């Protein structure tokens, strides 16, 4: 992997990740851009103990542009985009309309391929490995920023999810705090560790799932399963079999196998609802241990956390979506219409040939 860092016309950082070491990235952003101005502010909810990012400038972000005006495609001739060069393998840049900025963290965009019509599932294993390497590199770099406590790499895919740009891409949020979902996991890990005299909760969950009926696919170094208490109609958790706190700690064997396993998982997701159905909308979310102090979670250290990916769709059946209505939105109690065992069975049935 070759990494080349440059700057866009408004001062934002852009980084090319190339498969070939001889690629030269010296294209200049020729757009007449003013410096980026953001209004990001993190407010803490004293009743719930969580945080809300207030970012009014995002109201003006690019919204469903036509394909020939996509800001994530390479620049070509007089059509100038966020990527100054005429091609790329993987590129990462600071979001022009960030939810978090400055002392409130940082937001980046990850473009998986220059092919506007592709999806992550269309990538080759070599390309998918490059994306993994980019995620890992950005996790490392962002973790050293003084305002950052947790790094979250994710992909929103599909208009039903709320995606406003159709080009295959994901995002990275660098939060100035430990996110509420991660905090819940850490509290459960702490309680289990104390109750069992030191057993790791993530290890116990993985061992239980591998012995059960909800395994979707399994490799030498990775395992994918539908969790016992899945929140979403089709939800799969992908774990490295050797527990590590973050992407940086994955060994070479796990990195090598990841593309094959993950691409197979994504391709199965696109087959869930049968032939002729539109691509399955999904969210793919990497969970990594915070880089900040963990004193509030009694007896827990970073190495107790298990880095893993959670993949889920809001589509519950053909043509129907799972909405977060009264119980989910009002009380945070999910109601799942698809039994996890049935979801796992379906995902095994649609294995690619």
């Amino acid at each position: 992997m070759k990494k080349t860092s440059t700057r866009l016309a408004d001062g934002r950082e852009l980084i090319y990740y190339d498969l070939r070491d001889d690629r030269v990235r010296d294209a200049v952003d020729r757009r007449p851009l003013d410096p980026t101005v953001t209004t990001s502010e993190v407010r803490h909810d004293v009743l719930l103990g969580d945080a809300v990012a207030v970012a009014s400038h995002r109201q003006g972000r690019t919204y469903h542009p036509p394909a020939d005006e996509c800001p994530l495609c390479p620049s070509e001739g007089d059509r100038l985009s966020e990527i100054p060069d005429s091609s790329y393998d993987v590129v990462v840049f600071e979001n022009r309309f960030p939810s978090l900025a400055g002392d409130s963290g940082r937001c980046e965009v990850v473009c998986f391929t220059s092919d506007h019509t592709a999806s992550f599932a269309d990538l080759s294993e070599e390309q998918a490995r490059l994306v993994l390497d980019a995620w890992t590199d950005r996790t490392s770099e962002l973790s050293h920023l003084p305002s950052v406590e947790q790094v979250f790499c994710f992909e929103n895919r599909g208009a039903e999810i709320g995606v406003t740009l159709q080009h295959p891409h994901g995002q990275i949020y660098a939060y100035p705090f430990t996110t509420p979902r991660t905090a819940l996991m850490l509290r459960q890990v702490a309680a289990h560790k104390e109750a069992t005299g030191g057993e790791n909760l993530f290890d116990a969950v993985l061992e239980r799932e591998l012995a059960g009926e909800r395994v979707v696919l399994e490799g030498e170094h990775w395992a994918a399963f539908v969790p016992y208490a899945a929140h979403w109609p089709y939800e799969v958790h992908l774990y490295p079999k050797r527990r590590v706190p973050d992407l940086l700690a994955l060994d070479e064997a796990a990195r090598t196998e990841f593309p094959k396993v993950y691409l197979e998982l994504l391709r199965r997701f696109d087959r869930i609802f049968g032939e002729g159905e539109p691509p399955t909308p999904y969210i793919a979310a990497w969970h990594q241990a915070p880089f900040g102090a963990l004193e509030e979670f009694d007896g827990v250290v970073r190495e107790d956390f298990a880095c893993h990916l959670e993949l889920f769709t809001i589509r519950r059946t053909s043509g129907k979506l799972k909405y977060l209505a009264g119980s989910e939105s009002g009380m945070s109690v999910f109601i799942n219409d698809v039994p996890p065992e049935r979801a796992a069975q379906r995902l095994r049935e649609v294995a690619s040939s």
Side-chain angles (χ1 to χ4, degrees), residues 93-227:
F93 59 88
E94 288 184 77
N95 197 321
R96 191 177 178 188
F97 303 97
S99 301
L100 307 166
D103 292 340
S104 296
R106 174 158 157 153
C107 293
E108 298 182 340
V109 177
V110 184
C111 298
F112 304 138
T113 171
S114 60
D115 185 351
H116 181 84
T117 62
S119 68
F120 200 117
D122 295 324
L123 300 182
S124 67
E125 291 186 17
E126 184 181 36
Q127 289 172 302
R129 168 62 190 265
L130 184 61
V131 176
L132 174 63
D133 290 343
W135 282 331
T136 305
D137 180 71
R138 297 315 302 153
T139 296
S140 176
E141 293 290 330
L142 293 171
S143 71
H144 289 96
L145 297 180
S147 63
V148 172
E149 189 167 311
Q150 186 173 2
V151 178
F152 175 46
C153 306
F154 65 101
E155 179 190 2
N156 296 330
R157 193 257 196 131
E160 299 94 329
I161 298 295
V163 175
T164 58
L165 299 176
Q166 299 308 311
H167 194 103
H169 73 287
Q171 299 181 65
I172 301 175
Y173 277 22
Y175 296 102
F177 50 80
T178 297
T179 61
R181 187 172 176 84
T182 301
L184 286 173
M185 292 184 196
L186 290 170
R187 292 189 187 101
Q188 291 297 102
V189 168
H192 186 84
K193 191 174 186 179
E194 181 179 8
T196 60
E199 183 182 66
N200 183 272
L201 178 58
F202 287 107
D203 291 350
V205 168
L206 182 58
E207 182 180 0
R208 181 188 69 185
E209 293 293 357
L210 287 177
E213 60 180 317
R214 290 180 296 275
V215 174
V216 174
L217 58 88
E218 183 179 357
E220 183 179 355
H221 303 284
W222 293 86
F225 58 87
V226 178

Side-chain angles (χ1 to χ4, degrees), residues 49-326:
D50 60 8
V52 176
V54 180
S56 60
H57 63 277
R58 284 175 52 79
Q59 288 279 35
R61 65 187 184 274
T62 308
Y63 188 80
H64 292 299
D68 60 357
E69 296 179 17
C70 174
L72 306 185
C73 287
S75 293
E76 184 177 355
D78 293 330
R79 192 192 66 76
L80 306 178
S81 73
E82 290 279 66
I83 296 90
D85 216 327
S86 58
S87 67
Y88 64 84
D89 292 334
V90 173
V91 70
V92 177
F93 59 88
E94 288 184 77
N95 197 321
R96 191 177 178 188
F97 303 97
S99 301
L100 307 166
D103 292 340
S104 296
R106 174 158 157 153
C107 293
E108 298 182 340
V109 177
V110 184
C111 298
F112 304 138
T113 171
S114 60
D115 185 351
H116 181 84
T117 62
S119 68
F120 200 117
D122 295 324
L123 300 182
S124 67
E125 291 186 17
E126 184 181 36
Q127 289 172 302
R129 168 62 190 265
L130 184 61
V131 176
L132 174 63
D133 290 343
W135 282 331
T136 305
D137 180 71
R138 297 315 302 153
T139 296
S140 176
E141 293 290 330
L142 293 171
S143 71
H144 289 96
L145 297 180
S147 63
V148 172
E149 189 167 311
Q150 186 173 2
V151 178
F152 175 46
C153 306
F154 65 101
E155 179 190 2
N156 296 330
R157 193 257 196 131
E160 299 94 329
I161 298 295
V163 175
T164 58
L165 299 176
Q166 299 308 311
H167 194 103
H169 73 287
Q171 299 181 65
I172 301 175
Y173 277 22
Y175 296 102
F177 50 80
T178 297
T179 61
R181 187 172 176 84
T182 301
L184 286 173
M185 292 184 196
L186 290 170
R187 292 189 187 101
Q188 291 297 102
V189 168
H192 186 84
K193 191 174 186 179
E194 181 179 8
T196 60
E199 183 182 66
N200 183 272
L201 178 58
F202 287 107
D203 291 350
V205 168
L206 182 58
E207 182 180 0
R208 181 188 69 185
E209 293 293 357
L210 287 177
E213 60 180 317
R214 290 180 296 275
V215 174
V216 174
L217 58 88
E218 183 179 357
E220 183 179 355
H221 303 284
W222 293 86
F225 58 87
V226 178
Y228 171 74
H231 288 56
W232 300 95
Y234 290 91
E235 174 182 340
V236 177
H237 293 189
L238 178 62
Y239 276 69
K241 290 185 176 180
R242 182 180 69 87
R243 172 167 42 90
V244 295
D246 51 41
L247 293 172
L248 283 70
L250 289 173
D251 60 24
E252 183 57 31
R255 293 182 182 280
T256 298
E257 187 181 73
F258 170 78
K260 180 178 181 180
V261 174
Y262 187 48
L263 290 172
E264 169 66 16
L265 192 57
L266 291 179
R267 290 161 186 165
R268 292 191 190 193
F269 251 60
D270 272 344
R271 295 184 175 92
I272 292 173
F273 304 105
E275 296 295 331
E277 287 290 320
T280 302
Y282 65 73
I283 293 174
W286 278 108
H287 292 262
Q288 304 190 80
F291 289 95
L294 299 178
E295 284 86 355
E296 64 180 292
F297 310 104
D298 295 339
V300 173
V301 296
R302 287 194 80 245
E303 288 68 27
D304 288 330
F305 193 87
C307 175
H308 64 283
L309 182 139
E310 297 184 6
L311 174 69
F312 59 90
T313 179
I314 62 171
R315 186 179 292 165
R316 56 187 174 88
T317 189
S318 180
K320 297 179 181 178
L321 301 180
K322 166 64 179 176
Y323 291 101
L324 301 189

